[in-house]
Amino acid sequence: MEKYLYIALFAPLVGSLFAGAFGNSKKTLLTGVVTSVLLGVSMIASLILMFYIFNTSDIVHVKLMDWIVIGNLNIPFGFVVDHVSVVMMVVVTIVSTMVHIHSIGYMDHDKSFNRFFSYLSAFVFSMMILVMSDNFAGLFIGWEGVGLCSWLLIGFWYHKRDIVKTNDIYNSPYSTLSPHSSISPSYAANEAFIMNRVADLGMLVGIFLIYWNIGSLQYDIVFDKISQLDSLTVVLIASTLFIGAMGKSAQFPFNTWLANAMEGPTPVSALIHAATMVTAGVYLVVRANEIFTVVPEVGYVIASLGAFVAFGAATMALVATNMKKIIAYSTLSQLGYMFVAAGLGAYWVALFHLATHAFFKSVLFLGAGNVMHATNDEINIKKLGGLYKHMKWTATIMIIASVALAGIYPFAGFFSKDLILEVAFGTHSYVLWTVLWITAGLTAFYSFRLIMYLFFGEENYDKEEVHPHETYPFVIASMVPLAILAMVSGFFKDSYVAMVTNTLPALDIHASPMTINILIAVTSFVALSGIGVAVFVFVKRGKYFSDKFQDRFCYKTLANQYYMPHIIDRFILQPYLRASRFCFHMIDMKVIDAIVDTIATTIYKGGESSRVMHSSNLSTTLKWMVFGLVIFLSFVVIYLNFLEKG
């Protein structure tokens, strides 16, 4: 099985190098085809490994080479495919393969076609290192690799100008933008990259604490010895690791970058910001479950924060008009669900929702990309409408994904999301259950608000400029497998549980079958009610949804993301900018530079004064030689006298 591990891991790297070789060349369709085929090969290898592990309950563990060997520190470059990592491998490769195929059509007219596929495959390779590594150092390398690739992909269209007109490169657009404006891809990429680096510092501290107290970063050694540490140390390790997870999974207060990251190409959003990178934080908590199990108080904080983010992001999606940002807020909300499950100890439930969510959310983003291509890149849902008759395949697939997102039986979202609500109720976390239950209704509402605005009602676009049409057949074909998985993957729950509970702890939900059935009924009721209200409000919006509502404080608060970007800009970024400028002018220029310049000037003037010694005049040279000889003999005499007295 080792050969399949290497194939799954390195096939995306080969694709990235191949596409990169044509990076400066004109568009070559071959790069898209080759990288997609290699991702398909990686997907097949991952599926073979999954079936092997499912049937044998064995794991595949390889050591490629020694990596870091310094004194007592010995970190091998090793990889493990077990019951947890293989689930992530299959999810990542399936979604990545379909996104690569979709991107061939989406990026068809982009002059940087080859460069895009090189970045995209490099991202998948970094993600595979992250999930397959057998130690925290390797995980961190993959962690930073996906961060770098996301920066490259979010800012892929770096040539687009920022809407803010300013000569000050340090100025933040949040001080002037309206809630419906966009920022430049470059600013969005930098925001995501820097915010994640801040959070990653916390994760790095956690890794240092692990090595300092245990002496190893290998998963098996760390998890075997973690219970021997004092509780305060474990709390510090768990908390700092979770700070890294907060940044990567855009949890409060690191949540603002995710919506702005939608400035990148839509396939990037489908791959990175729905199915892979943003779920890496959840994977970290699931992978390090034996650390978090020792300190359940940290777990409850994680669950509480997850519920807070789930509800907050859902409310922001209620009023958003940017099609991609609505789906991004939905992703943020569902990540909150996953952290609730992980925080309450239901790690296998969190991983299950991660997998099902990847399928229906990625296809929603891809569908949004189809809509943008058909309408000259229009993203304001209020300027669209009536697209169903022009884009029946895209509409059908997005409706399927939205039903799954809403958690309606028998689609995948029903099985995974309902399990999280059962966990919250069964662990007596009734406040968390109530918040998630309300959020389930909001999720159904904003999901179908998006569908109704896009595909039904009046055609609000400029019919002279916009001529809606369906995308290429092969692009639709790439979305169909994801849509099918969004419908049927929930039925594999029992097989999934039987496999992953060989590694993850099985949580016993203390609730009777009748209680569970009641919970399912009330959750389904609120989801169906949300859909019904969305349809009703859309049909009757002229009477029941006045534009005057947009002037109210509640609407403005939600449209401005609870003013979090403005608060961060005013109380963190601007004070930091002023402090930086003060340090630059008062310390760097007047102290550090002054000292350095004084030393340099002194040396320079000394050199100028000593140039007379090298005038090439024989008389002058002899005088300096005699002077030097006198000085030398004087030191000799002094030294001899010192020896006699000593």
Side-chain angles (χ1 to χ4, degrees):
M1 288 291 114
E2 289 186 14
K3 64 179 180 181
Y4 294 109
L5 184 152
Y6 293 129
I7 292 172
L9 176 62
F10 291 109
L13 176 62
V14 175
S16 177
L17 295 175
F18 178 83
F22 298 92
N24 293 325
S25 305
K26 293 182 179 180
K27 173 197 167 184
T28 305
L29 185 62
L30 185 64
T31 59
V33 174
V34 170
T35 52
S36 299
V37 169
L38 288 170
L39 259 295
V41 170
S42 179
M43 177 186 69
I44 293 172
S46 299
L47 288 169
I48 292 173
L49 288 168
M50 185 182 69
F51 288 125
Y52 170 77
I53 291 174
F54 177 77
N55 291 322
T56 64
S57 293
D58 197 5
I59 65 173
V60 182
H61 192 181
V62 300
K63 176 183 175 181
L64 191 60
M65 61 182 178
D66 287 324
W67 180 26
I68 302 176
V69 181
I70 305 174
N72 295 327
L73 177 63
N74 187 354
I75 302 176
F77 203 62
F79 301 94
V80 61
V81 180
D82 60 6
H83 308 86
V84 174
S85 61
V86 76
V87 173
M88 284 294 294
M89 290 170 60
V90 169
V91 171
V92 169
T93 53
I94 288 177
V95 175
S96 299
T97 302
M98 302 308 147
V99 169
H100 271 70
I101 297 172
H102 184 279
S103 298
I104 296 175
Y106 188 88
M107 303 297 292
D108 183 39
H109 303 293
D110 197 288
K111 63 180 181 180
S112 299
F113 183 88
N114 302 334
R115 179 166 60 91
F116 178 81
F117 280 92
S118 179
Y119 293 167
L120 205 64
S121 292
F123 170 84
V124 179
F125 172 64
S126 298
M127 191 70 196
M128 295 295 278
I129 290 179
L130 190 158
V131 302
M132 296 172 66
S133 179
D134 67 350
N135 62 81
F136 283 100
L139 180 144
F140 189 74
I141 294 299
W143 191 276
E144 295 304 304
V146 296
L148 172 62
C149 293
S150 72
W151 177 75
L152 293 169
L153 289 165
I154 295 170
F156 185 77
W157 288 324
Y158 59 88
H159 54 276
K160 289 186 177 180
R161 290 186 176 182
D162 200 321
I163 203 168
V164 178
K165 304 301 182 182
T166 176
N167 293 323
D168 187 354
I169 62 173
Y170 299 104
N171 190 34
S172 168
Y174 292 122
S175 58
T176 56
L177 289 184
S178 72
H180 306 292
S181 300
S182 296
I183 62 177
S184 72
S186 293
Y187 186 93
N190 290 338
E191 181 187 29
F193 188 81
I194 294 170
M195 194 169 287
N196 273 274
R197 298 296 74 73
V198 173
D200 290 351
L201 177 61
M203 180 180 175
L204 198 57
V205 171
I207 294 175
F208 284 149
L209 287 173
I210 290 173
Y211 179 74
W212 184 267
N213 290 277
I214 296 178
S216 176
L217 295 177
Q218 295 295 116
Y219 291 150
D220 51 355
I221 298 175
V222 172
F223 298 154
D224 184 57
K225 296 183 178 180
I226 192 68
S227 60
Q228 301 173 13
L229 304 181
D230 62 274
S231 59
L232 178 60
T233 301
V234 181
V235 167
L236 288 174
I237 291 173
S239 301
T240 50
L241 288 178
F242 180 63
I243 290 174
M246 289 166 62
K248 197 67 75 182
S249 295
Q251 296 297 285
F252 180 85
F254 300 102
N255 59 293
T256 57
W257 70 265
L258 181 59
N260 290 332
M262 297 302 105
E263 295 301 322
T266 305
V268 173
S269 302
L271 178 61
I272 296 179
H273 307 121
T276 52
M277 189 187 82
V278 293
T279 61
V282 179
Y283 175 76
L284 172 62
V285 176
V286 172
R287 169 54 72 189
N289 68 88
E290 298 193 39
I291 295 177
F292 291 93
T293 301
V294 177
V295 282
E297 59 273 20
V298 175
Y300 194 79
V301 172
I302 293 173
S304 301
L305 180 63
F308 173 75
V309 172
F311 177 79
T315 56
M316 289 188 285
L318 295 176
V319 301
T321 57
N322 184 312
M323 172 173 52
K324 290 177 67 177
K325 285 191 176 183
I326 292 173
I327 306 175
Y329 291 140
S330 174
T331 298
L332 189 56
S333 181
Q334 298 307 305
L335 288 168
Y337 271 89
M338 298 174 205
F339 277 115
V340 171
L344 295 178
Y347 301 102
W348 66 269
V349 177
L351 189 61
F352 186 45
H353 191 51
L354 184 157
T356 60
H357 170 265
F359 301 135
F360 55 73
K361 187 57 61 65
S362 59
V363 82
L364 272 176
F365 270 117
L366 296 179
N370 292 355
V371 172
M372 290 175 64
H373 256 206
T375 58
N376 295 341
D377 290 333
E378 181 59 63
I379 58 175
N380 189 337
I381 60 175
K382 293 189 176 182
K383 294 182 180 180
L384 297 171
L387 296 177
Y388 180 81
K389 60 184 178 182
H390 303 289
M391 308 177 67
K392 292 184 179 180
W393 277 103
T394 297
T396 302
I397 290 173
M398 289 189 70
I399 291 171
I400 290 172
S402 297
V403 173
L405 173 61
I408 305 301
Y409 183 86
F411 292 79
F414 167 83
F415 294 91
S416 57
K417 187 186 295 184
D418 195 74
L419 275 173
I420 297 174
L421 288 162
E422 290 177 20
V423 168
F425 195 90
T427 55
H428 309 297
S429 304
Y430 301 120
V431 174
L432 298 183
W433 179 88
T434 303
V435 173
L436 295 182
W437 181 75
I438 296 172
T439 304
L442 299 178
T443 302
F445 175 83
Y446 68 67
S447 299
F448 275 83
R449 171 179 174 265
L450 174 64
I451 293 297
M452 299 304 292
Y453 265 112
L454 292 182
F455 299 111
F456 302 99
E458 299 178 0
E459 299 175 345
N460 298 315
Y461 50 84
D462 186 349
K463 295 182 180 179
E464 294 184 2
E465 297 291 333
V466 177
H467 304 284
H469 56 279
E470 191 61 272
T471 185
Y472 303 113
F474 75 88
V475 172
I476 295 295
S478 70
M479 299 168 64
V480 170
L482 297 174
I484 293 173
L485 287 169
M487 290 189 289
V488 305
S489 58
F491 292 104
F492 295 99
K493 184 186 75 172
D494 292 338
S495 300
Y496 161 82
V497 174
M499 181 178 71
V500 299
T501 49
N502 286 287
T503 300
L504 299 177
L507 181 68
D508 184 18
I509 301 174
H510 301 290
S512 64
M514 180 177 293
T515 301
I516 292 176
N517 289 333
I518 294 174
L519 292 176
I520 293 174
V522 296
T523 304
S524 299
F525 171 77
V526 74
L528 291 171
S529 298
I531 295 174
V533 171
V535 175
F536 177 79
V537 169
F538 179 81
V539 173
K540 300 292 185 180
R541 68 182 185 276
K543 182 177 180 180
Y544 295 99
F545 196 73
S546 173
D547 290 338
K548 293 181 179 179
F549 179 71
Q550 299 181 19
D551 297 326
R552 297 181 182 179
F553 174 76
C554 180
Y555 182 94
K556 290 183 178 180
T557 301
L558 298 180
N560 284 280
Q561 303 180 55
Y562 291 94
Y563 294 99
M564 275 303 301
H566 302 271
I567 292 172
I568 292 173
D569 176 66
R570 182 172 181 179
F571 295 103
I572 298 179
L573 299 184
Q574 293 302 326
Y576 181 79
L577 174 60
R578 288 192 291 270
S580 298
R581 284 173 171 164
F582 174 83
C583 292
F584 174 72
H585 291 293
M586 302 303 296
I587 298 177
D588 191 42
M589 294 290 291
K590 293 186 178 182
V591 178
I592 298 175
D593 280 5
I595 293 173
V596 173
D597 290 344
T598 300
I599 295 173
T601 301
T602 302
I603 295 174
Y604 177 79
K605 289 182 177 180
E608 283 288 324
S609 301
S610 64
R611 288 179 64 184
V612 67
M613 299 171 61
H614 303 281
S615 63
S616 299
N617 185 287
L618 181 60
S619 177
T620 302
T621 303
L622 289 173
K623 290 178 182 179
W624 281 109
M625 289 176 62
V626 172
F627 177 76
L629 181 61
V630 170
I631 296 296
F632 175 73
L633 292 175
S634 299
F635 276 110
V636 170
V637 171
I638 294 171
Y639 179 70
L640 292 174
N641 290 333
F642 177 77
L643 290 178
E644 290 179 1
K645 293 180 180 180

